[in-house]
Amino acid sequence: WYFLDGTEAIWQDETTPLPMDLVPGAEATDMLAYVTAPPHDGVYWLEWDIRVGETWTSTIPSTRPYETGLHLVEVVKGRSYSLDLDKGFNFDGVSGNNPRDGNFDGIGRTIPAELLPPYTSSDVAPAMFNLAARGIGLDSSKRISFRWPVKADKQFNMVQCVGQKLSMGELKKIEVSKFVHVLAASTKSDTIGAFTIVFQDGTQQLATFLLSKWDAPPVHGEEVGWYCRYSRTQLGDAYDHPVALFHYVIKIGDQKKVAAIILPNKPEIKIAAITMEK
């Protein structure tokens, strides 16, 4: 199993014996093979390989085309799920063909649409797509996928934080969660964000942390969740101003069902995606 960007998630899954001996050019047309999906929701590449003894054919020097097969698999109802924020988007911070569309930082700069997921394969992509991540395999931070915003011009694609409440009931996802993963950035340095987790029983948990600036390196220990080596201005692309979105993790202290998330009242904070981890 591989993450969507080709990084290895699981080296070896279950094996299924061939139903018969095969001479060169022969086929086994009907096989029932068992696989175990990765535990977290997201889109993965499943590679089919053949093992002879203890050796996988894809690892030997004589590897030839078509010795392995790839399938794109979407895992659902696992240990994490991405929130659909379409109804919560209230801000346009992405621009594509029209450089005057959107305004992420208030001075006309935006995120280039062509390098922001989703890509053609799925609207879900892992954190740190094509970037180095903490941990390896299923312990990698890439195990967390985000549902990325729509990128078309003249559409809202970000959540600007103005103290609004995101209800899990509207999303039909009131479940016990251990972590909240937020893909976000600020347009000001050292912005303090106060997020309130509201549980179904009415109790609350306050999580406060510093957010880094979107056009500067992270300075508060967070990972870069998405990076682009240029930003877009109304006059063209600025290659001297790379931009990023950062991956923040809120640990939920109580094993209770999350009913809502109240966002900070800080308009400089922009959120692209939120994923809950069970």
Side-chain angles (χ1 to χ4, degrees):
W1 291 92
Y2 294 91
F3 295 112
L4 195 58
D5 63 359
T7 307
E8 183 182 293
I10 302 171
W11 166 241
Q12 180 174 309
D13 198 348
E14 301 178 56
T15 58
T16 302
L18 293 173
M20 65 193 76
D21 291 337
L22 297 175
V23 299
E27 294 183 355
T29 56
D30 286 317
M31 284 188 60
L32 178 62
Y34 293 92
V35 297
T36 301
H40 289 85
D41 290 31
V43 178
Y44 300 83
W45 290 106
L46 173 60
E47 180 184 32
W48 299 93
D49 201 349
I50 297 176
R51 193 175 76 180
V52 180
E54 296 299 320
T55 302
W56 292 98
T57 58
S58 63
T59 65
I60 59 179
S62 61
T63 297
R64 295 166 294 185
Y66 310 114
E67 282 191 333
T68 62
L70 285 174
H71 281 90
L72 198 61
V73 178
E74 182 168 2
V75 176
V76 297
K77 298 183 179 180
R79 295 182 189 171
S80 60
Y81 58 93
S82 302
L83 301 186
D84 185 350
L85 297 181
D86 284 354
K87 293 182 180 179
F89 289 147
N90 59 356
F91 184 78
D92 187 357
V94 180
S95 60
N97 295 327
N98 179 10
R100 295 183 179 276
D101 176 66
N103 188 358
F104 190 93
D105 61 356
I107 59 174
R109 289 190 298 160
T110 56
I111 288 175
E114 64 273 14
L115 290 184
L116 184 75
Y119 303 112
T120 55
S121 55
S122 172
D123 59 353
V124 176
M128 282 65 69
F129 190 96
N130 284 335
L131 298 173
R134 296 171 184 168
I136 60 174
L138 293 180
D139 293 326
S140 166
S141 44
K142 290 191 180 187
R143 74 185 187 281
I144 301 301
S145 290
F146 289 105
R147 185 170 298 279
W148 297 76
V150 174
K151 301 188 291 185
D153 287 344
K154 298 182 179 180
Q155 289 196 21
F156 289 151
N157 39 51
M158 297 278 165
V159 176
Q160 185 175 36
C161 293
V162 290
Q164 65 268 55
K165 184 177 184 179
L166 300 179
S167 172
M168 299 296 111
E170 295 179 359
L171 300 169
K172 299 179 181 179
K173 283 287 185 179
I174 301 179
E175 299 185 24
V176 173
S177 298
K178 296 179 180 179
F179 299 95
V180 181
H181 299 266
V182 182
L183 190 68
S186 176
T187 54
K188 296 181 180 180
S189 299
D190 299 330
T191 301
I192 299 177
F195 293 76
T196 301
I197 311 299
V198 181
F199 299 106
Q200 195 174 35
D201 64 3
T203 59
Q204 298 182 355
Q205 174 186 330
L206 178 64
T208 303
F209 52 89
L210 289 166
L211 288 86
S212 293
K213 201 165 180 276
W214 78 308
D215 57 356
V219 293
H220 302 297
E222 65 270 68
E223 280 188 286
V224 176
W226 170 85
Y227 175 82
C228 182
R229 63 189 180 91
Y230 61 92
S231 56
R232 180 147 296 151
T233 74
Q234 295 183 0
L235 300 178
D237 294 337
Y239 285 89
D240 56 341
H241 284 92
V243 292
L245 296 170
F246 305 106
H247 181 190
Y248 297 95
V249 183
I250 300 172
K251 183 177 181 180
I252 299 176
D254 295 319
Q255 296 299 303
K256 301 178 182 179
K257 291 185 176 181
V258 176
I261 301 173
I262 301 176
L263 303 180
N265 189 10
K266 291 288 184 70
E268 60 268 31
I269 298 177
K270 313 299 193 303
I271 296 175
I274 298 176
T275 290
M276 312 294 288
E277 182 179 4
K278 295 184 275 187

